[in-house]
Amino acid sequence: MNNYESDIENKMEVSWEADCKEVPKTEVEVSWKAFKKRISKRSWKRKRTLSYKVFGAAAVLAVIFTGYFFLNVYNPNIQVVNNSSLDKEITLPDGSLVLLKPNSGIHYKERFENTRGVSLTGEAFFKVVKDSMKVFKVKTATTTTTVLGTSFTVNQKRGLKDAKIALYTGKVLVSVKGRLESWAIIPGESFVYEKDKIFIEKFETDLSFETGNEFIDVNNIELEKLLDFLEDRFNCEFQKNTYTKNKRITLRVNKSDSLKQVLNILSIINNTKYEMNPKTKEVQILKK
């Protein structure tokens, strides 16, 4: 081992003390230029690769910006808010009719292209033009109502999750945000989402001002069904009795009628007397 190390040291010493031939300056310059050329080529390749990446990113941004510009400038959102005390009539791009209720808002695209849809806050009645190729969707904060062509109301209570969808004609499919199930309802049914619970209610499709009617002609309808309608409309409660059971009635109810006016008409037609407690809003039905 020691002999091997000594041999290495001797060879290094000889090399160190040996004479070195001087390299011509021209050869040094040629070698230096060749080295610089190799370095510059590698640098240019790196710059070119970087340029391609920058150009590609710029192209992607340009496409995104162009698409966004086209969608929002050439097909902008339309927003309508009804701050009046009356229904506001709106005709959508496909010809569908919306009656926007007071203190409600809606927004939609200026043109319906691949899909038809609106976003709603508050309440509105929809009469949707049928299109078998394009479904129509009404979205609220908690529900999505999907239809092809039908008439219905959607009521999303402001500031709450609670919602109600009432169907007059056709068929709709209702889904709730955060739930996998969907519910299909038929005319005369209301989908009710209240306090995180879901249930279906029945109602008379002819007894409604939500569709834009100024009056309702009630023809030979059960009196108790009319009283149910009046309870919802005027936030009162009728004390039904044996007199109201199986009783039928025919009359016209105007949209502008007050509860007192309707009760006066009923008292004349049925020879009855109606007394309402102003505190509890309970209405008693008495025979004259």
Side-chain angles (χ1 to χ4, degrees), residues 50-106:
L50 181 60
S51 297
Y52 286 159
K53 290 180 179 180
V54 172
F55 178 77
V60 171
L61 289 174
V63 170
I64 294 173
F65 177 77
T66 302
Y68 178 83
F69 180 81
F70 177 80
L71 291 175
N72 289 275
V73 174
Y74 291 99
N75 193 16
N77 282 319
I78 304 297
Q79 184 169 355
V80 181
V81 178
N82 186 5
N83 293 319
S84 71
S85 59
L86 303 174
D87 293 352
K88 187 177 184 65
E89 186 173 317
I90 303 167
T91 302
L92 297 177
D94 64 341
S96 296
L97 173 69
V98 179
L99 295 179
L100 190 62
K101 304 300 176 180
N103 302 314
S104 301
I106 190 173

Side-chain angles (χ1 to χ4, degrees), residues 11-23:
K11 288 181 179 180
M12 289 179 64
E13 186 176 353
V14 170
S15 298
W16 179 262
E17 293 178 353
D19 294 332
C20 293
K21 295 181 180 180
E22 185 177 355
V23 179

Side-chain angles (χ1 to χ4, degrees), residues 192-217:
V192 182
Y193 179 56
E194 189 175 276
K195 296 179 180 178
D196 288 328
K197 293 182 179 180
I198 294 171
F199 50 95
I200 306 297
E201 291 182 341
K202 298 283 187 179
F203 73 98
E204 291 293 322
T205 57
D206 294 333
L207 293 178
S208 176
F209 291 110
E210 306 304 328
T211 59
N213 297 330
E214 292 300 321
F215 60 86
I216 297 172
D217 284 329

Side-chain angles (χ1 to χ4, degrees), residues 1-13:
M1 187 73 177
N2 291 332
N3 292 335
Y4 175 77
E5 290 178 354
S6 298
D7 186 47
I8 293 295
E9 288 179 359
N10 291 333
K11 288 181 179 180
M12 289 179 64
E13 186 176 353

Side-chain angles (χ1 to χ4, degrees), residues 92-229:
L92 297 177
D94 64 341
S96 296
L97 173 69
V98 179
L99 295 179
L100 190 62
K101 304 300 176 180
N103 302 314
S104 301
I106 190 173
H107 76 263
Y108 54 93
K109 286 291 185 181
E110 189 178 71
R111 295 187 312 279
F112 289 155
E113 295 178 339
N114 296 327
T115 59
R116 299 184 295 166
V118 302
S119 295
L120 173 72
T121 55
E123 183 179 6
F125 168 77
F126 295 87
K127 189 173 184 181
V128 177
V129 173
K130 190 171 183 178
D131 186 340
S132 59
M133 301 300 292
K134 295 179 183 178
V135 297
F136 187 100
K137 292 187 177 183
V138 179
K139 292 187 177 182
T140 70
T142 54
T143 63
T144 299
T145 304
T146 305
V147 304
L148 287 175
T150 186
S151 58
F152 59 98
T153 57
V154 177
N155 185 0
Q156 174 74 52
K157 295 183 179 179
R158 188 177 294 274
L160 298 174
K161 292 182 178 179
D162 297 355
K164 184 176 183 179
I165 293 93
L167 182 63
Y168 296 90
T169 61
K171 188 177 180 179
V172 302
L173 195 66
V174 183
S175 59
V176 176
K177 188 176 182 180
R179 301 202 183 196
L180 297 177
E181 309 98 318
S182 294
W183 291 262
I185 58 175
I186 61 176
E189 289 184 343
S190 293
F191 173 91
V192 182
Y193 179 56
E194 189 175 276
K195 296 179 180 178
D196 288 328
K197 293 182 179 180
I198 294 171
F199 50 95
I200 306 297
E201 291 182 341
K202 298 283 187 179
F203 73 98
E204 291 293 322
T205 57
D206 294 333
L207 293 178
S208 176
F209 291 110
E210 306 304 328
T211 59
N213 297 330
E214 292 300 321
F215 60 86
I216 297 172
D217 284 329
V218 180
N219 296 310
N220 197 35
I221 195 172
E222 292 178 14
L223 177 59
E224 289 193 352
K225 289 183 178 180
L226 175 64
L227 297 182
D228 289 339
F229 164 71

